[in-house]
Amino acid sequence: MDSGWRYRVASVAGVVVLTAVAVALVNNATIQSMATTIPILSRLPTDPPEGPEFTIELIVTTAVVVSVFLPLYKPRPRRILDAVALAQKRVLVAALVLATIGYFDYSYKLPRLTVVLVTPLLLVALPAWFVWIRKRPSSNGERTIVVGDDLKVIEEVASEVDGTLLGYLCPTSVMTAIERTEAIADGGTNPSGLERLGGLSRIEDVLVKYDVDTVVLAFEHADRAEFFGALDACYEYGVNAKVHRNHTDSVLTTSSGVGTLVDVEIEPWDIQDYILKRAFDIAFASAGLVALSPVIIGIVVAIKLEDGGSILYRQDRTAVFGETFSIYKFRSMIENAEDETGAKISDEDAGGIDPRVTSVGRVLRQTHLDEIPQLWSILRGDMSVVGPRPERPELDSDIQTGVVDWQKRWFVKPGLTGPAQVNHVTGKEPSEKLRYDLEYVRDQSFSYDMKLVSRQIWSVIIDIIVAYKNP
């Protein structure tokens, strides 16, 4: 199986070409005449579209199939049966969508015969394509590797693995230290005889090369870089992940099993929720930037007139799986406000007065207008409209040492607003904030998002009115 973008390009191109070919074939007059000799299809009209009608039919059918197959474009190592089952399931979903579209009589109605004839062709062609572009597993059973930095934990979890255990990944520095003290033969195995497949930096190559199904994490600590970096790789390649029970406070889990290893819920929501959420994010951010453009101009002028300093202020925030991204706000503090104090939660979050905040900045904060530039982060895909509010990495590190489960917030994309914000809970109350955030992870839905957005917009309107009455 090819990896990364090459696999994505190959999978999308295959779906496009095979769907287009199938549509062209079933719109052949001879094929349609032959098909209608079957009693169940005899009542369907045989009128192959031509010109613009055929073009629209081709575009609509291809667009629907390509969209429905979105989950399969991720370069995940899969068994043949898994690839076939998933592809056929997506073909059936696409057929239902096309049948629904064909029900409505718009300018160029989608013929029912097209749907009926295209479906069996795609049920064969598309699964075959996804099987062909993948790498065949070389042995039976679930293929597992262990990734960690503690050989004792690696040996412990290895004894709990079901299926085919291929080997382990471990930092070279750990192996060097072991070699010096225990003189392990050529540094290639641990005391249990498990093969070392390389260092942590090779995890993506190993996932693809060995057609891995499951990764078991065996780290001493659930650190931001290596532990969550391995989880990020599992997410990108669609590989299942398990952790030692000692690390369940740091991850979302799918169940409360009793064994040593616990399944990690890398993707807590269904794919349709992600798609609907992303579509709303794009629509909301685009509409917001356009509608607020006069306000944006006014804010820029006000900031410049007050002290002539920079307009925007950049901060690093924590994203999914502990990674960082940059967000921008309209500057509400004096220039270089944190040079002496460093990163800290503003006194305003606790209801006090922060002397670093400018006059214009105080209005921007009170009305939440300083957050407008984050609509651009939503468009880029770094954030969502609704989700756990991202903290600064420095503050994240301080909070997670005193709040159990804090890292579970890292399993979903951060948001502009969320249940903690609409309930006026700030970083000054991390335990309460975490409770609201995890509640959102469990209960997320499009209707819940709309409820939170409505409450936040209403709260902003009230704050604007209050700021206007009490300048």
Side-chain angles (χ1 to χ4, degrees):
M1 182 189 69
D2 205 351
S3 62
W5 67 268
R6 293 184 180 87
Y7 175 84
R8 296 175 190 272
V9 170
S11 57
V12 174
V15 173
V16 171
V17 171
L18 291 173
T19 303
V21 170
V23 172
L25 285 175
V26 302
N27 280 291
N28 180 275
T30 303
I31 292 178
Q32 289 199 359
S33 297
M34 293 173 60
T36 52
T37 60
I38 302 173
I40 196 173
L41 302 179
S42 59
R43 299 179 60 182
L44 297 177
T46 57
D47 185 20
E50 297 178 354
E53 292 186 23
F54 174 77
T55 301
I56 290 179
E57 179 181 322
L58 181 65
I59 292 173
V60 170
T61 306
T62 304
V64 168
V65 176
V66 169
S67 300
V68 168
F69 268 76
L70 184 62
L72 273 69
Y73 302 146
K74 183 181 295 184
R76 169 178 179 169
R78 292 187 176 95
R79 303 182 189 91
I80 292 177
L81 290 179
D82 291 338
V84 171
L86 290 170
Q88 289 186 336
K89 184 186 297 184
R90 290 291 153 180
V91 170
L92 294 176
V93 172
L96 290 174
V97 174
L98 290 170
T100 303
I101 294 174
Y103 176 80
F104 296 99
D105 190 8
Y106 51 85
S107 299
Y108 298 107
K109 187 173 182 179
L110 188 67
R112 287 174 291 173
L113 190 57
T114 296
V115 179
V116 173
L117 297 181
V118 161
T119 301
L121 288 178
L122 296 183
L123 279 172
V124 175
L126 292 181
W129 175 252
F130 279 94
V131 168
W132 187 73
I133 64 174
R134 66 178 293 282
K135 179 181 178 181
R136 278 67 171 172
S138 58
S139 62
N140 296 324
E142 186 173 273
R143 301 167 63 81
T144 303
I145 64 170
V146 180
V147 179
D149 61 2
D150 189 320
L151 291 183
K152 291 182 179 179
V153 180
I154 289 175
E155 189 169 10
E156 178 184 356
V157 300
S159 64
E160 300 290 331
V161 172
D162 296 324
T164 303
L165 185 55
L166 304 172
Y168 72 100
L169 297 178
C170 184
T172 302
S173 58
V174 174
M175 297 307 302
T176 301
I178 294 295
E179 286 176 348
R180 289 174 180 171
T181 57
E182 300 183 17
I184 294 178
D186 40 52
T189 60
N190 67 6
S192 68
L194 190 63
E195 180 184 2
R196 180 173 181 260
L197 304 176
L200 299 182
S201 62
R202 291 201 65 232
I203 183 169
E204 295 186 1
D205 295 335
V206 170
L207 292 180
V208 174
K209 179 179 179 180
Y210 291 91
D211 207 19
V212 175
D213 299 301
T214 302
V215 170
V216 179
L217 303 188
F219 289 87
E220 183 179 2
H221 303 291
D223 65 288
R224 187 188 201 101
E226 295 178 343
F227 182 89
F228 278 91
L231 283 177
D232 189 25
C234 292
Y235 172 79
E236 287 297 323
Y237 285 82
V239 176
N240 297 324
K242 296 176 182 288
V243 298
H244 193 283
R245 179 162 295 280
N246 293 341
H247 289 317
T248 53
D249 288 344
S250 301
V251 299
L252 288 177
T253 56
T254 57
S255 63
S256 56
V258 296
T260 302
L261 302 181
V262 180
D263 292 322
V264 180
E265 195 166 20
I266 294 180
E267 296 184 275
W269 305 327
D270 293 332
I271 187 64
Q272 59 266 24
D273 293 324
Y274 281 106
I275 294 174
L276 190 58
K277 190 176 181 67
R278 182 58 184 152
F280 173 73
D281 287 345
I282 293 173
F284 183 92
S286 301
L289 287 172
V290 172
L292 294 172
S293 53
V295 178
I296 293 173
I297 295 173
I299 293 173
V300 170
V301 172
I303 293 175
K304 277 296 183 183
L305 288 177
E306 182 174 30
D307 60 12
S310 60
I311 296 169
L312 296 175
Y313 175 64
R314 186 185 71 83
Q315 284 184 338
D316 288 334
R317 295 294 178 100
T318 300
V320 178
F321 297 120
E323 294 186 349
T324 59
F325 71 103
S326 296
I327 67 169
Y328 291 88
K329 294 184 175 185
F330 284 123
R331 182 174 58 84
S332 58
M333 292 185 178
I334 59 175
E335 290 277 12
N336 306 315
E338 294 183 337
D339 284 354
E340 296 183 3
T341 63
K344 72 171 189 174
I345 296 175
S346 173
D347 295 335
E348 291 185 347
D349 288 346
I353 296 176
D354 193 331
R356 301 173 300 170
V357 178
T358 64
S359 299
V360 172
R362 188 160 289 109
V363 175
L364 293 178
R365 288 185 166 214
Q366 186 176 355
T367 57
H368 308 284
L369 295 178
D370 61 322
E371 310 282 359
I372 290 177
Q374 291 174 51
L375 294 174
W376 176 247
S377 297
I378 294 173
L379 272 182
R380 290 184 52 184
D382 294 329
M383 294 176 61
S384 183
V385 176
V386 183
R389 188 73 179 138
E391 292 290 350
R392 302 178 69 173
E394 303 91 332
L395 301 179
D396 252 328
S397 299
D398 291 340
I399 293 173
Q400 70 190 49
T401 57
V403 179
V404 178
D405 294 341
W406 182 259
Q407 290 158 305
K408 293 182 178 181
R409 302 170 72 253
W410 297 353
F411 282 75
V412 296
K413 190 179 292 186
L416 184 63
T417 187
Q421 281 65 45
V422 300
N423 286 283
H424 308 293
V425 176
T426 68
K428 285 286 188 179
E429 307 164 280
S431 297
E432 187 71 2
K433 178 179 174 64
L434 177 63
R435 182 177 71 82
Y436 278 113
D437 289 339
L438 295 185
E439 176 186 294
Y440 174 75
V441 174
R442 290 191 299 269
D443 300 336
Q444 190 276 336
S445 66
F446 185 69
S447 59
Y448 189 24
D449 280 5
M450 295 304 97
K451 178 181 177 181
L452 292 173
V453 170
S454 299
R455 288 182 60 185
Q456 184 64 63
I457 292 175
W458 177 251
S459 176
V460 170
I461 292 173
I462 295 299
D463 288 340
I464 291 174
I465 293 174
V466 171
Y468 178 76
K469 291 183 177 180
N470 303 286

